[in-house]
Structure formats: C-alpha cells, structure tokens
Amino acid sequence: MPIITNQATLRTSIADWLNRTDLLDSTDQLDQFIEMGEAKIYEVLRVPPLEKLSSFTVLEANSSITLPSGFIELISLEKSGSSKDEDIILSRVDEKTFANNKVTNAYIRVGSNLLLTDGNGEQKASGTYILRYYKADEPIGTTPAGESEIITQFILDTEYELILFAALSVASIYLGDGEAEQKYNELFLRKVNSLNQKEKAAALKGGQFSASIPYPGI
C-alpha cells in the first residue's frame, strides 16, 4: 500500500482499503468519493491551519462585505482603527434585532454577504474591516491556471487519514456496505475530534497547535 502523498496515491489507497481494484479504472468515481469526503471534513473540522484573515474596504453606500471564496465559518469581524486601542470588534445579532434596533457596530449574514452597522447603529459603515474565518482549502488535485504546481492542502499534506477515512465512509455508502460505512465514519470522527480537542487544549494553555503525520505507513 503506497504512502499517501498526492491525489493518485490517495485514489489507490481508497481502492486498496475497499478491496476493490476494479475502482482503479474509475478515477472519476474515486475523485467523487474524495470530493464528497472533503465536504464532509469541512463541515466539522475547525483548526488553526484552516484559519484565514482578509481585509476589506467597506463603503458607506453598501455597508457590507461579500464573503470570500471557500468561506466556512466566521470567527471574528473587526473594524481597524488608526491604533490598536481604536480597533472595534463587531457583534453578531439576529435579523430582527438588526432591523428593528440601532445596534452599534453589529453585523448579520444575508446569503453571501455580511451587512454592517456603524458607531451610530446605521447601515452606513465604512472603513477597513478585518475578517477572521475558517476557509476550506482548494480541492485536492487543484492546479492554479497557468501554473504547474498542484496546490498543497492541509488535509492531504499532514493529516491525510482525514480525507482517507472520509472518502472511505462515502464510498461505503455508494457500495451499500453499512458495516464499513459505520467503521470508517467512526475512524473519521475520532480523528476530527482529536484535532479539534488538540486545538482547544493548545489555546487554553497559550500554546500553538501542531499537526503531524501519524501513520507514515499508510
């Protein structure tokens, strides 16, 4: 069984674990398992390697931010002042409160946009805003236009059991193997929970999250 280092070896490992060598001739099917496995991962994984920062210039006429590509979940939204003491963390409120009350420095999400209020509670926010959020990596196997190098993904580069177990659980559903689905889904959730708890423990202790390659023989 090959060490999982890229899309090709991931495909081979999925077929090997399923004991279905016939799938090696169905790369489209294997890639579908991988794609659905990636979606499964980003629904529940919340770790520092997926955290991103984006800066936006907000105009009073719009008082809104369009969420960036790959956005999963918002962590914080901050208005940048001329000094650190003047930075303002915005509060998320529900739509009714946002519409009926003049809540200062607040926001709501509507579709793919964040609507903001200013220091007077009006939808006339302007200035520089910093969005901290969780972002999904580019799909496994993605090569940027005009480039020859494939983008490196956290879930394949250092935590490849995540995508292996996630893809295997999806493939088991397709193959109608309920026992295998339960087994691989349990392995997947166990790994996700371990990484999420590791991040929480590091944050509480003031340390840094670190990832490692746990099974070099896979």
Side-chain angles (χ1 to χ4, degrees), residues 110-140:
V110 178
S112 60
N113 294 282
L114 299 178
L115 305 184
L116 320 178
T117 63
D118 61 14
N120 296 315
E122 304 282 354
Q123 280 188 249
K124 296 181 180 180
S126 63
T128 301
Y129 287 78
I130 309 298
L131 180 67
R132 182 168 168 244
Y133 62 103
Y134 290 109
K135 179 183 184 298
D137 283 336
E138 294 296 325
I140 289 172

mmCIF file of all heavy atoms in Angstrom, residues 110-140:
data_model
loop_
_atom_site.group_PDB
_atom_site.id
_atom_site.type_symbol
_atom_site.label_atom_id
_atom_site.label_comp_id
_atom_site.label_asym_id
_atom_site.label_seq_id
_atom_site.Cartn_x
_atom_site.Cartn_y
_atom_site.Cartn_z
ATOM 1 N N VAL A 110 -26.440 37.704 5.413
ATOM 2 C CA VAL A 110 -27.552 37.524 4.485
ATOM 3 C C VAL A 110 -26.984 36.922 3.207
ATOM 4 O O VAL A 110 -26.306 37.608 2.439
ATOM 5 C CB VAL A 110 -28.270 38.857 4.181
ATOM 6 C CG1 VAL A 110 -29.393 38.621 3.169
ATOM 7 C CG2 VAL A 110 -28.813 39.484 5.447
ATOM 8 N N GLY A 111 -27.247 35.646 2.998
ATOM 9 C CA GLY A 111 -26.688 34.970 1.837
ATOM 10 C C GLY A 111 -25.175 34.952 1.891
ATOM 11 O O GLY A 111 -24.564 34.509 2.864
ATOM 12 N N SER A 112 -24.547 35.487 0.869
ATOM 13 C CA SER A 112 -23.085 35.517 0.810
ATOM 14 C C SER A 112 -22.517 36.869 1.223
ATOM 15 O O SER A 112 -21.384 37.203 0.883
ATOM 16 C CB SER A 112 -22.610 35.183 -0.612
ATOM 17 O OG SER A 112 -23.130 36.126 -1.538
ATOM 18 N N ASN A 113 -23.312 37.645 1.962
ATOM 19 C CA ASN A 113 -22.873 38.968 2.393
ATOM 20 C C ASN A 113 -23.045 39.159 3.893
ATOM 21 O O ASN A 113 -23.915 38.557 4.519
ATOM 22 C CB ASN A 113 -23.665 40.058 1.666
ATOM 23 C CG ASN A 113 -23.391 40.091 0.182
ATOM 24 O OD1 ASN A 113 -22.373 40.592 -0.258
ATOM 25 N ND2 ASN A 113 -24.312 39.534 -0.590
ATOM 26 N N LEU A 114 -22.186 40.019 4.454
ATOM 27 C CA LEU A 114 -22.331 40.482 5.825
ATOM 28 C C LEU A 114 -22.788 41.932 5.766
ATOM 29 O O LEU A 114 -22.144 42.761 5.113
ATOM 30 C CB LEU A 114 -20.997 40.394 6.582
ATOM 31 C CG LEU A 114 -20.367 39.011 6.730
ATOM 32 C CD1 LEU A 114 -19.028 39.135 7.458
ATOM 33 C CD2 LEU A 114 -21.283 38.051 7.474
ATOM 34 N N LEU A 115 -23.923 42.246 6.406
ATOM 35 C CA LEU A 115 -24.409 43.624 6.475
ATOM 36 C C LEU A 115 -23.939 44.226 7.794
ATOM 37 O O LEU A 115 -24.073 43.602 8.849
ATOM 38 C CB LEU A 115 -25.937 43.663 6.388
ATOM 39 C CG LEU A 115 -26.577 42.973 5.173
ATOM 40 C CD1 LEU A 115 -28.086 43.186 5.183
ATOM 41 C CD2 LEU A 115 -25.964 43.468 3.875
ATOM 42 N N LEU A 116 -23.404 45.445 7.741
ATOM 43 C CA LEU A 116 -22.770 46.056 8.900
ATOM 44 C C LEU A 116 -23.472 47.344 9.332
ATOM 45 O O LEU A 116 -24.076 48.031 8.514
ATOM 46 C CB LEU A 116 -21.309 46.401 8.580
ATOM 47 C CG LEU A 116 -20.491 45.401 7.761
ATOM 48 C CD1 LEU A 116 -19.092 45.963 7.515
ATOM 49 C CD2 LEU A 116 -20.421 44.058 8.454
ATOM 50 N N THR A 117 -23.372 47.646 10.629
ATOM 51 C CA THR A 117 -23.801 48.959 11.119
ATOM 52 C C THR A 117 -22.577 49.719 11.625
ATOM 53 O O THR A 117 -21.567 49.125 11.992
ATOM 54 C CB THR A 117 -24.828 48.848 12.264
ATOM 55 O OG1 THR A 117 -24.223 48.191 13.385
ATOM 56 C CG2 THR A 117 -26.070 48.093 11.828
ATOM 57 N N ASP A 118 -22.713 51.042 11.649
ATOM 58 C CA ASP A 118 -21.613 51.869 12.115
ATOM 59 C C ASP A 118 -21.732 52.171 13.604
ATOM 60 O O ASP A 118 -22.553 51.562 14.310
ATOM 61 C CB ASP A 118 -21.547 53.166 11.299
ATOM 62 C CG ASP A 118 -22.818 54.003 11.428
ATOM 63 O OD1 ASP A 118 -23.646 53.729 12.337
ATOM 64 O OD2 ASP A 118 -22.987 54.950 10.639
ATOM 65 N N GLY A 119 -20.969 53.145 14.083
ATOM 66 C CA GLY A 119 -20.982 53.504 15.502
ATOM 67 C C GLY A 119 -22.262 54.159 15.966
ATOM 68 O O GLY A 119 -22.481 54.320 17.180
ATOM 69 N N ASN A 120 -23.142 54.494 15.014
ATOM 70 C CA ASN A 120 -24.443 55.080 15.352
ATOM 71 C C ASN A 120 -25.583 54.084 15.158
ATOM 72 O O ASN A 120 -26.755 54.443 15.311
ATOM 73 C CB ASN A 120 -24.696 56.331 14.496
ATOM 74 C CG ASN A 120 -23.699 57.432 14.770
ATOM 75 O OD1 ASN A 120 -23.400 57.728 15.930
ATOM 76 N ND2 ASN A 120 -23.171 58.037 13.706
ATOM 77 N N GLY A 121 -25.239 52.866 14.798
ATOM 78 C CA GLY A 121 -26.269 51.849 14.579
ATOM 79 C C GLY A 121 -26.922 51.931 13.218
ATOM 80 O O GLY A 121 -27.929 51.261 12.967
ATOM 81 N N GLU A 122 -26.357 52.713 12.307
ATOM 82 C CA GLU A 122 -26.905 52.870 10.959
ATOM 83 C C GLU A 122 -26.162 51.957 9.980
ATOM 84 O O GLU A 122 -24.985 51.642 10.186
ATOM 85 C CB GLU A 122 -26.776 54.323 10.487
ATOM 86 C CG GLU A 122 -27.424 55.350 11.398
ATOM 87 C CD GLU A 122 -28.932 55.405 11.237
ATOM 88 O OE1 GLU A 122 -29.458 54.725 10.330
ATOM 89 O OE2 GLU A 122 -29.581 56.126 12.015
ATOM 90 N N GLN A 123 -26.855 51.560 8.910
ATOM 91 C CA GLN A 123 -26.195 50.793 7.859
ATOM 92 C C GLN A 123 -25.415 51.746 6.957
ATOM 93 O O GLN A 123 -25.688 51.890 5.761
ATOM 94 C CB GLN A 123 -27.211 49.985 7.061
ATOM 95 C CG GLN A 123 -27.645 48.688 7.760
ATOM 96 C CD GLN A 123 -28.507 47.831 6.860
ATOM 97 O OE1 GLN A 123 -29.712 47.676 7.111
ATOM 98 N NE2 GLN A 123 -27.920 47.287 5.813
ATOM 99 N N LYS A 124 -24.443 52.374 7.564
ATOM 100 C CA LYS A 124 -23.590 53.332 6.853
ATOM 101 C C LYS A 124 -22.125 53.106 7.245
ATOM 102 O O LYS A 124 -21.337 54.043 7.323
ATOM 103 C CB LYS A 124 -24.010 54.768 7.184
ATOM 104 C CG LYS A 124 -25.419 55.134 6.725
ATOM 105 C CD LYS A 124 -25.752 56.573 7.075
ATOM 106 C CE LYS A 124 -27.158 56.939 6.610
ATOM 107 N NZ LYS A 124 -27.505 58.354 6.949
ATOM 108 N N ALA A 125 -21.794 51.863 7.488
ATOM 109 C CA ALA A 125 -20.429 51.532 7.897
ATOM 110 C C ALA A 125 -19.447 51.798 6.759
ATOM 111 O O ALA A 125 -19.760 51.592 5.580
ATOM 112 C CB ALA A 125 -20.356 50.068 8.323
ATOM 113 N N SER A 126 -18.271 52.256 7.114
ATOM 114 C CA SER A 126 -17.225 52.481 6.124
ATOM 115 C C SER A 126 -15.872 52.357 6.811
ATOM 116 O O SER A 126 -15.766 52.456 8.032
ATOM 117 C CB SER A 126 -17.362 53.873 5.489
ATOM 118 O OG SER A 126 -17.199 54.881 6.466
ATOM 119 N N GLY A 127 -14.846 52.104 6.009
ATOM 120 C CA GLY A 127 -13.506 51.960 6.560
ATOM 121 C C GLY A 127 -12.929 50.585 6.267
ATOM 122 O O GLY A 127 -13.437 49.845 5.419
ATOM 123 N N THR A 128 -11.875 50.246 7.002
ATOM 124 C CA THR A 128 -11.197 48.959 6.811
ATOM 125 C C THR A 128 -11.660 47.958 7.860
ATOM 126 O O THR A 128 -11.633 48.243 9.058
ATOM 127 C CB THR A 128 -9.676 49.129 6.915
ATOM 128 O OG1 THR A 128 -9.240 50.063 5.912
ATOM 129 C CG2 THR A 128 -8.964 47.792 6.697
ATOM 130 N N TYR A 129 -12.088 46.783 7.390
ATOM 131 C CA TYR A 129 -12.567 45.728 8.278
ATOM 132 C C TYR A 129 -11.733 44.466 8.062
ATOM 133 O O TYR A 129 -11.393 44.118 6.930
ATOM 134 C CB TYR A 129 -14.041 45.426 8.023
ATOM 135 C CG TYR A 129 -14.965 46.508 8.533
ATOM 136 C CD1 TYR A 129 -15.129 47.697 7.823
ATOM 137 C CD2 TYR A 129 -15.660 46.351 9.729
ATOM 138 C CE1 TYR A 129 -15.962 48.710 8.296
ATOM 139 C CE2 TYR A 129 -16.499 47.350 10.204
ATOM 140 C CZ TYR A 129 -16.640 48.521 9.491
ATOM 141 O OH TYR A 129 -17.469 49.523 9.966
ATOM 142 N N ILE A 130 -11.422 43.794 9.171
ATOM 143 C CA ILE A 130 -10.623 42.568 9.120
ATOM 144 C C ILE A 130 -11.502 41.377 9.480
ATOM 145 O O ILE A 130 -12.065 41.312 10.575
ATOM 146 C CB ILE A 130 -9.427 42.623 10.092
ATOM 147 C CG1 ILE A 130 -8.627 43.915 9.888
ATOM 148 C CG2 ILE A 130 -8.545 41.389 9.913
ATOM 149 C CD1 ILE A 130 -8.018 44.051 8.509
ATOM 150 N N LEU A 131 -11.616 40.442 8.563
ATOM 151 C CA LEU A 131 -12.429 39.243 8.763
ATOM 152 C C LEU A 131 -11.518 38.062 9.078
ATOM 153 O O LEU A 131 -10.599 37.749 8.323
ATOM 154 C CB LEU A 131 -13.239 38.951 7.494
ATOM 155 C CG LEU A 131 -14.157 37.727 7.520
ATOM 156 C CD1 LEU A 131 -15.301 37.935 8.510
ATOM 157 C CD2 LEU A 131 -14.710 37.455 6.123
ATOM 158 N N ARG A 132 -11.757 37.432 10.218
ATOM 159 C CA ARG A 132 -11.049 36.200 10.599
ATOM 160 C C ARG A 132 -12.049 35.068 10.487
ATOM 161 O O ARG A 132 -13.140 35.129 11.073
ATOM 162 C CB ARG A 132 -10.513 36.322 12.023
ATOM 163 C CG ARG A 132 -9.722 35.120 12.502
ATOM 164 C CD ARG A 132 -8.993 35.441 13.807
ATOM 165 N NE ARG A 132 -8.460 34.245 14.432
ATOM 166 C CZ ARG A 132 -8.846 33.766 15.608
ATOM 167 N NH1 ARG A 132 -9.770 34.402 16.313
ATOM 168 N NH2 ARG A 132 -8.306 32.678 16.099
ATOM 169 N N TYR A 133 -11.687 34.026 9.747
ATOM 170 C CA TYR A 133 -12.668 32.997 9.437
ATOM 171 C C TYR A 133 -11.995 31.671 9.099
ATOM 172 O O TYR A 133 -10.781 31.609 8.897
ATOM 173 C CB TYR A 133 -13.536 33.439 8.255
ATOM 174 C CG TYR A 133 -12.756 33.661 6.967
ATOM 175 C CD1 TYR A 133 -12.779 32.730 5.942
ATOM 176 C CD2 TYR A 133 -11.982 34.809 6.786
ATOM 177 C CE1 TYR A 133 -12.069 32.927 4.764
ATOM 178 C CE2 TYR A 133 -11.267 35.020 5.611
ATOM 179 C CZ TYR A 133 -11.310 34.079 4.607
ATOM 180 O OH TYR A 133 -10.603 34.274 3.446
ATOM 181 N N TYR A 134 -12.797 30.617 9.064
ATOM 182 C CA TYR A 134 -12.320 29.315 8.610
ATOM 183 C C TYR A 134 -12.586 29.196 7.111
ATOM 184 O O TYR A 134 -13.676 29.535 6.638
ATOM 185 C CB TYR A 134 -13.034 28.185 9.346
ATOM 186 C CG TYR A 134 -12.659 28.070 10.810
ATOM 187 C CD1 TYR A 134 -13.563 28.419 11.808
ATOM 188 C CD2 TYR A 134 -11.399 27.617 11.194
ATOM 189 C CE1 TYR A 134 -13.222 28.316 13.156
ATOM 190 C CE2 TYR A 134 -11.053 27.504 12.541
ATOM 191 C CZ TYR A 134 -11.967 27.859 13.508
ATOM 192 O OH TYR A 134 -11.621 27.761 14.831
ATOM 193 N N LYS A 135 -11.591 28.709 6.389
ATOM 194 C CA LYS A 135 -11.700 28.603 4.939
ATOM 195 C C LYS A 135 -11.308 27.203 4.477
ATOM 196 O O LYS A 135 -10.313 26.643 4.940
ATOM 197 C CB LYS A 135 -10.779 29.625 4.262
ATOM 198 C CG LYS A 135 -10.787 29.587 2.738
ATOM 199 C CD LYS A 135 -9.796 30.592 2.177
ATOM 200 C CE LYS A 135 -9.844 30.645 0.654
ATOM 201 N NZ LYS A 135 -9.477 29.360 0.024
ATOM 202 N N ALA A 136 -12.094 26.652 3.585
ATOM 203 C CA ALA A 136 -11.760 25.354 3.004
ATOM 204 C C ALA A 136 -10.598 25.522 2.027
ATOM 205 O O ALA A 136 -10.525 26.514 1.299
ATOM 206 C CB ALA A 136 -12.979 24.783 2.272
ATOM 207 N N ASP A 137 -9.673 24.568 2.042
ATOM 208 C CA ASP A 137 -8.592 24.578 1.062
ATOM 209 C C ASP A 137 -9.162 24.334 -0.334
ATOM 210 O O ASP A 137 -10.300 23.869 -0.490
ATOM 211 C CB ASP A 137 -7.575 23.479 1.374
ATOM 212 C CG ASP A 137 -6.654 23.844 2.534
ATOM 213 O OD1 ASP A 137 -6.478 25.052 2.792
ATOM 214 O OD2 ASP A 137 -6.118 22.925 3.172
ATOM 215 N N GLU A 138 -8.353 24.631 -1.333
ATOM 216 C CA GLU A 138 -8.754 24.298 -2.699
ATOM 217 C C GLU A 138 -8.913 22.781 -2.804
ATOM 218 O O GLU A 138 -8.246 22.024 -2.089
ATOM 219 C CB GLU A 138 -7.703 24.780 -3.697
ATOM 220 C CG GLU A 138 -7.559 26.290 -3.772
ATOM 221 C CD GLU A 138 -8.813 26.965 -4.273
ATOM 222 O OE1 GLU A 138 -9.492 26.385 -5.142
ATOM 223 O OE2 GLU A 138 -9.132 28.071 -3.794
ATOM 224 N N PRO A 139 -9.795 22.308 -3.683
ATOM 225 C CA PRO A 139 -10.000 20.862 -3.821
ATOM 226 C C PRO A 139 -8.695 20.121 -4.113
ATOM 227 O O PRO A 139 -7.800 20.651 -4.783
ATOM 228 C CB PRO A 139 -10.975 20.748 -5.006
ATOM 229 C CG PRO A 139 -11.705 22.058 -5.005
ATOM 230 C CD PRO A 139 -10.692 23.071 -4.563
ATOM 231 N N ILE A 140 -8.586 18.926 -3.600
ATOM 232 C CA ILE A 140 -7.410 18.095 -3.838
ATOM 233 C C ILE A 140 -7.203 17.898 -5.333
ATOM 234 O O ILE A 140 -8.141 17.587 -6.068
ATOM 235 C CB ILE A 140 -7.560 16.739 -3.127
ATOM 236 C CG1 ILE A 140 -7.435 16.933 -1.608
ATOM 237 C CG2 ILE A 140 -6.536 15.722 -3.617
ATOM 238 C CD1 ILE A 140 -7.747 15.704 -0.798
#
